């Protein structure tokens, strides 16, 4: 059988998949259709795309363990039809997945809680959907089921603050193992808090070191050898990144207007020096852009 199917798949350009599937359907050889389409999908997924609805139904009928994988890997099937197939066969996990894809999250959650009675899967589903209303519905459902509440506290703390769950628990509701769960939650919280505090202290320490280094670097002067420079220091002199010296006129072809009226050394404030430096930078940028 497998050899015959392989031959038909390899000859798909001579005998088209449409003809093969139509013939097998007419002869009611659905199991052969399933095997043919499965192999066709492996060899030529493009050729099998149009048979997505049929494949979903055949997987549900002949190889359920592979159905959920098919549903997750492919988008070439009608979600509503696939949901109908899963619902008719009572395939709840697969139906939950499809309902989640079409946005029917509340119905999917209800199926997990009432049909599967699986709080772990319900929590995972709520995490995947990332929907606050879904968490509220899950919490409402768990409030009358102590064991579900304990599971919720154990496994949903990363998505829902434990305080939010605890605040909703009725005062006289007995929850088996609640003490141990709370101790673990508080211990985990203290560990996380301690880690964050330690990280913050390290960051602050490194920031202070870097800030000190930056201040020291900015406060350092530049050692100039006036004798070797051969420059008229009665003018404004610019120290270039490579350590060489040039007068302002040689560098940008003019002097700052504030200095143009004097040729003597003038004591200036830091603010004036900053403005002068900004002027030189602007002129350099203009020269470089030309």
């Amino acid at each position: 059988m497998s050899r015959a199917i392989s031959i038909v798949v390899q000859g798909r350009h001579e005998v088209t998949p449409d003809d093969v599937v139509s013939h097998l359907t007419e002869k009611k050889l659905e199991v052969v259709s399933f095997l043919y389409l499965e192999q066709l999908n492996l060899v030529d997924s493009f050729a099998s795309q149009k048979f997505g609805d049929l494949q979903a139904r055949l997987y549900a009928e002949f190889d359920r363990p592979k159905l959920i994988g098919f549903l997750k890997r492919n988008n070439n099937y009608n979600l509503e039809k696939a949901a109908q197939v899963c619902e008719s066969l009572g395939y709840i996990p697969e139906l939950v997945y499809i309902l989640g894809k079409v946005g029917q999250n509340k119905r999917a959650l209800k199926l997990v809680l009432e049909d599967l009675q699986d709080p772990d899967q319900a929590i995972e589903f709520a995490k995947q959907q990332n929907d606050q209303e879904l968490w509220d519905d899950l919490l409402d459902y768990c409030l009358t089921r102590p064991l579900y509440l304990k599971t919720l506290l154990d496994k949903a703390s990363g998505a829902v603050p434990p305080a939010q769950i605890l605040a909703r628990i009725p005062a006289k509701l007995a929850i088996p193992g609640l003490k141990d769960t709370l101790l673990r939650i508080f211990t985990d919280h203290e560990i996380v808090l301690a880690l964050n505090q330690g990280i913050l202290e390290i960051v602050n320490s490194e920031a202070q070191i870097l800030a000190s280094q930056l201040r020291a670097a900015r406060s350092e002067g530049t050692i100039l050898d006036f004798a070797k420079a051969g420059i008229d220091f009665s003018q404004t002199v610019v120290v270039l990144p490579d350590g060489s010296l040039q007068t302002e006129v040689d560098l940008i072809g003019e002097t700052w207007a504030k200095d143009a009226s004097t040729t003597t050394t003038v004591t200036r404030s830091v603010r004036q020096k900053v403005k002068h430096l900004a002027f030189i930078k602007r002129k350099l940028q203009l020269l470089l852009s030309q």
Side-chain angles (χ1 to χ4, degrees):
M1 175 70 73
S2 60
R3 179 171 174 77
I5 290 173
S6 296
I7 292 173
V8 177
V9 169
Q10 294 302 324
R12 62 191 177 279
H13 300 297
E14 288 74 28
V15 182
T16 66
D18 286 306
D19 292 337
V20 174
V21 172
S22 177
H23 178 74
L24 293 174
T25 302
E26 184 181 340
K27 297 296 183 180
K28 298 183 179 180
L29 298 172
E30 290 199 327
V31 67
V32 182
S33 292
F34 166 69
L35 296 172
Y36 169 75
L37 288 174
E38 186 175 42
Q39 189 161 344
L40 178 65
N41 190 45
L42 293 174
V43 175
D44 187 350
S45 59
F46 181 78
S48 66
Q49 279 188 352
K50 64 173 67 177
F51 304 106
D53 292 337
L54 177 58
Q55 277 192 282
R57 182 175 64 79
L58 293 176
Y59 269 114
E61 186 172 349
F62 297 112
D63 199 349
R64 183 190 173 182
K66 292 183 180 179
L67 175 59
I68 189 66
F70 173 82
L71 296 175
K72 290 181 177 180
R73 287 193 310 271
N74 297 276
N75 295 310
N76 60 324
Y77 59 90
N78 183 283
L79 291 169
E80 185 177 350
K81 290 182 179 179
Q84 290 173 354
V85 169
C86 293
E87 189 169 12
S88 66
L89 295 173
Y91 291 175
I92 303 302
E94 295 84 353
L95 179 58
V96 167
Y97 171 76
I98 295 171
L99 292 175
K101 287 195 70 173
V102 298
Q104 295 187 34
N105 296 332
K106 291 191 175 185
R107 183 187 171 197
L109 181 65
K110 185 177 180 181
L111 286 171
V112 175
L113 291 170
E114 295 184 356
D115 289 57
L116 297 180
Q117 297 183 358
D118 188 342
D120 291 323
Q121 186 174 339
I123 291 168
E124 286 304 313
F125 180 76
K127 286 181 178 179
Q128 291 169 6
Q129 302 305 317
N130 193 26
D131 183 345
Q132 184 57 48
E133 288 188 12
L134 207 60
W135 283 112
D136 292 338
D137 291 342
L138 178 56
L139 181 54
D140 289 340
Y141 186 88
C142 293
L143 286 175
T144 57
R145 295 163 178 81
L147 291 178
Y148 280 28
L149 268 177
K150 182 179 181 300
T151 302
L152 195 60
L153 284 167
D154 281 333
K155 300 189 176 181
S157 57
V160 180
Q164 181 179 334
I165 301 174
L166 293 171
R168 297 279 305 278
I169 297 176
K172 296 183 179 181
L173 182 65
I175 302 176
L178 178 61
K179 180 180 177 180
D180 292 337
T181 297
L182 292 178
L183 285 174
R184 182 190 57 76
I185 291 173
F186 293 144
T187 301
D188 291 347
H189 178 71
E190 289 178 357
I191 291 173
V192 171
L193 192 62
L195 285 173
N196 289 339
Q197 186 65 33
I199 292 170
L200 182 60
E201 290 176 0
I202 292 171
V203 171
N204 282 336
S205 175
E206 291 183 351
Q208 289 175 6
I209 292 171
L210 292 173
S212 298
Q213 292 174 349
L214 179 60
R215 282 195 299 270
R218 287 184 171 179
S219 301
E220 287 181 352
T222 301
I223 300 175
L224 303 176
D225 189 343
F226 292 173
K228 294 182 180 180
I231 290 178
D232 181 6
F233 283 93
S234 64
Q235 302 182 48
T236 299
V237 177
V238 180
V239 182
L240 300 178
D242 62 0
S244 61
L245 307 176
Q246 271 193 287
T247 64
E248 182 178 14
V249 174
D250 290 338
L251 186 62
I252 61 175
E254 60 181 295
T255 59
W256 190 36
K258 296 286 185 180
D259 286 349
S261 60
T262 179
T263 58
T264 60
T265 303
V266 180
T267 301
R268 294 178 296 170
S269 66
V270 173
R271 183 178 180 183
Q272 288 175 318
K273 292 178 181 179
V274 170
K275 288 184 177 180
H276 194 168
L277 179 60
F279 165 77
I280 294 173
K281 286 183 177 179
R282 285 197 303 272
K283 289 296 182 179
L284 279 174
Q285 288 173 351
L286 288 173
L287 290 171
L288 292 173
S289 64
Q290 292 177 357

